[in-house]
Amino acid sequence: MTDISNVARLSEPLKFAYWVPNVSGGLVVSTIEQRTGWDFEYNKKLARIAENSGFEYALTQTRYAASYGADKQHEATSFSLALLAATERLKVISAVHPGMWHPGVLAKFIITADHISNGRAAVNIVSGWLKAEFENFGLDWLEHDERYVRTEEFIRVLRGLWTEQEYSQSGKYYNINGFTLNPAPVDVPGRAHPEIFFGGNSTAAQATAGRVADWYFSNGKDLEGFKENIAGVVASAAESGRGTAPKTGATQPALAAPRFGLNGFVIARDSEREARDTLREIVEKAHKPAVEGFRDAVQEAGASTKDGKGMWADSSFEDLVQYNDGFKTQLIGTPEQIAERIVEYKKIGVNLFLTGYLHFQEEVAAFGQDILPIVRELEADLARRNGSELDLSGTPAASATPTPGLVNA
């Protein structure tokens, strides 16, 4: 059994998100059938299914050029805004690249989205790994660690403009001079401003997340691998004084400690054998040229770091068939097995799972009906055994019913 980390929040229920399929080709680079659409009507229905299935978040992907078998892409922020307008409770996270946005412009856009959605807008800051997109747009391409220098400044500008009047910041990449954005974001109890998600596996990414991000996202990882990532972020947060009382004379309270999100591709079937057979078929039917092209593009990230710990640095061909290493998390098997695996990750400090599927609409609904109730039972038992109670008061209940006969395909 997994030991319980001192950063695990046993009384807080896990949160669940799904990848928005706003790019063509589904979430695996394979010719296996994927009953998943990238158009808005499909995604609007999916978002409503998700928020009725106990999901709290959706993450919209940011891509500009055809890659890894996805030859069509909808822009992330506008697609997110449309999904926010089509839903009532779902929080939608827009993925954006520093270097393609000015942080002040993004801050204003997110404030508007926040008001339209009554406080449900969020961002995921992607430092950038697809060099060709930047160069073909005629934008500066920064080397690995320097991208995180820019990202940290970018996040500080966002937070400053969202929380202060006449905000100023002087840096290497951004200089803000006494700027005020009105209106401010929606005042949501328990939320200082729209949530800032940020990801990366490298040492530089972990350090940046520890200093400035609300949420640290990671590609798929096994338990030991993600323990290492969490430790790096926690160490950085501690060094910067996060989660402590504000210093004397400080104009703002210290940032709360970061939370942790992990990517995982879900294959839930009636038996473990069926689930493993599905994984085997996905890999056997992989679109080899697309996967290899993606590998060549992204493994520059790991190779360019000083310690070789960048995103995708240790990913095999089979891992990259799901382009965010979702198979590594091993959410594969029966609903009971997947729920047990999920709670093992909670013990090490995971607060949120970002999930992908072959057939999104029916499998998201099935997750809410078949897996989430087991997760909640296991969480409640874990909390009681460790002297606390699981607080579900602010957590949406799953109410959607999957379409019979569609999932086990």
Side-chain angles (χ1 to χ4, degrees):
M1 297 293 290
T2 305
D3 292 335
I4 298 173
S5 166
N6 59 4
V7 300
R9 300 167 185 257
L10 300 186
S11 63
E12 294 183 13
L14 286 161
K15 299 178 184 295
F16 293 92
Y18 72 93
W19 285 99
V20 174
N22 59 302
V23 303
S24 62
L27 265 285
V28 296
V29 188
S30 173
T31 59
I32 193 172
E33 181 188 17
Q34 298 185 70
R35 291 190 296 274
T36 291
W38 66 285
D39 60 283
F40 179 66
E41 287 304 314
Y42 179 93
N43 274 281
K44 180 169 67 174
K45 182 177 179 181
L46 171 60
R48 291 171 176 171
I49 290 170
E51 71 175 0
N52 288 324
S53 298
F55 285 74
E56 294 187 51
Y57 296 88
L59 172 61
T60 307
Q61 303 172 68
T62 180
R63 296 288 180 271
Y64 294 91
S67 59
Y68 56 80
D71 61 347
K72 300 180 182 68
Q73 313 83 27
H74 286 301
E75 193 275 326
T77 57
S78 52
F79 209 77
S80 296
L81 183 58
L83 292 178
L84 286 168
T87 53
E88 296 178 356
R89 300 178 302 281
L90 193 69
K91 300 168 189 174
V92 185
I93 310 163
S94 303
V96 296
H97 288 97
M100 293 188 180
W101 282 83
H102 185 280
V105 175
L106 179 65
K108 189 67 172 178
F109 177 94
I110 294 297
I111 289 173
T112 299
D114 208 44
H115 280 261
I116 289 171
S117 64
N118 195 27
R120 293 184 287 122
V123 292
N124 180 43
I125 308 303
V126 183
S127 296
W129 48 263
L130 197 53
K131 185 176 181 180
E133 286 189 341
F134 281 79
E135 292 188 334
N136 291 344
F137 271 157
L139 299 171
D140 291 336
W141 174 253
L142 305 180
E143 293 308 313
H144 183 274
D145 285 9
E146 195 65 21
R147 296 200 291 272
Y148 289 97
V149 174
R150 178 171 64 186
T151 290
E152 183 165 342
E153 288 189 19
F154 190 97
I155 291 174
R156 290 185 185 278
V157 173
L158 286 180
R159 181 173 281 113
L161 290 173
W162 284 339
T163 59
E164 296 187 30
Q165 300 285 302
E166 298 185 5
Y167 180 71
S168 295
Q169 177 177 318
S170 179
K172 185 174 182 179
Y173 294 98
Y174 305 106
N175 290 289
I176 309 299
N177 299 307
F179 213 95
T180 298
L181 293 180
N182 281 317
V186 175
D187 185 7
V188 177
R191 189 195 76 164
H193 49 70
E195 292 169 289
I196 300 171
F197 292 75
F198 163 81
N201 284 359
S202 67
T203 300
Q206 292 169 27
T208 301
R211 288 190 292 267
V212 296
D214 299 321
W215 287 88
Y216 169 74
F217 262 153
S218 173
N219 271 4
K221 284 277 189 179
D222 61 20
L223 284 159
E224 290 302 317
F226 200 47
K227 278 183 185 178
E228 292 182 13
N229 286 31
I230 289 173
V233 175
V234 168
S236 173
E239 288 175 7
S240 62
R242 293 188 62 175
T244 61
K247 296 178 180 179
T248 302
T251 59
Q252 291 184 319
L255 290 179
R259 283 171 163 77
F260 299 95
L262 179 64
N263 179 54
F265 193 84
V266 179
I267 305 176
R269 300 294 183 264
D270 291 336
S271 70
E272 182 178 7
R273 179 176 178 178
E274 288 177 86
R276 295 290 170 187
D277 285 346
T278 299
L279 175 59
R280 188 176 303 110
E281 183 182 1
I282 291 170
V283 174
E284 287 175 351
K285 294 182 176 179
H287 189 294
K288 190 173 181 180
V291 176
E292 290 179 341
F294 178 68
R295 178 179 59 191
D296 292 344
V298 301
Q299 291 195 328
E300 176 273 338
S304 65
T305 61
K306 295 176 182 178
D307 54 9
K309 292 183 179 180
M311 198 83 85
W312 298 287
D314 60 352
S315 300
S316 67
F317 176 91
E318 290 77 11
D319 294 328
L320 293 173
V321 175
Q322 201 295 300
Y323 42 79
N324 284 99
D325 285 339
F327 301 148
K328 286 184 177 181
T329 309
Q330 289 293 302
L331 303 184
I332 300 164
T334 66
E336 292 80 7
Q337 289 172 319
I338 292 170
E340 290 169 358
R341 179 78 172 169
I342 285 170
V343 174
E344 290 300 299
Y345 276 102
K346 180 175 183 173
K347 292 178 183 178
I348 69 168
V350 173
N351 307 107
L352 178 150
F353 278 89
L354 174 59
T355 58
Y357 308 83
L358 280 180
H359 315 303
F360 267 77
Q361 289 181 357
E362 52 261 46
E363 292 192 89
V364 162
F367 187 98
Q369 175 173 286
D370 300 333
I371 299 174
L372 188 52
I374 304 173
V375 170
R376 296 301 186 221
E377 290 178 7
L378 293 173
E379 287 185 287
D381 181 62
L382 177 65
R384 283 192 297 270
R385 286 189 283 109
N386 288 274
S388 62
E389 292 292 329
L390 185 67
D391 181 8
L392 294 171
S393 59
T395 302
S399 59
T401 302
T403 304
L406 287 181
V407 175
N408 295 324

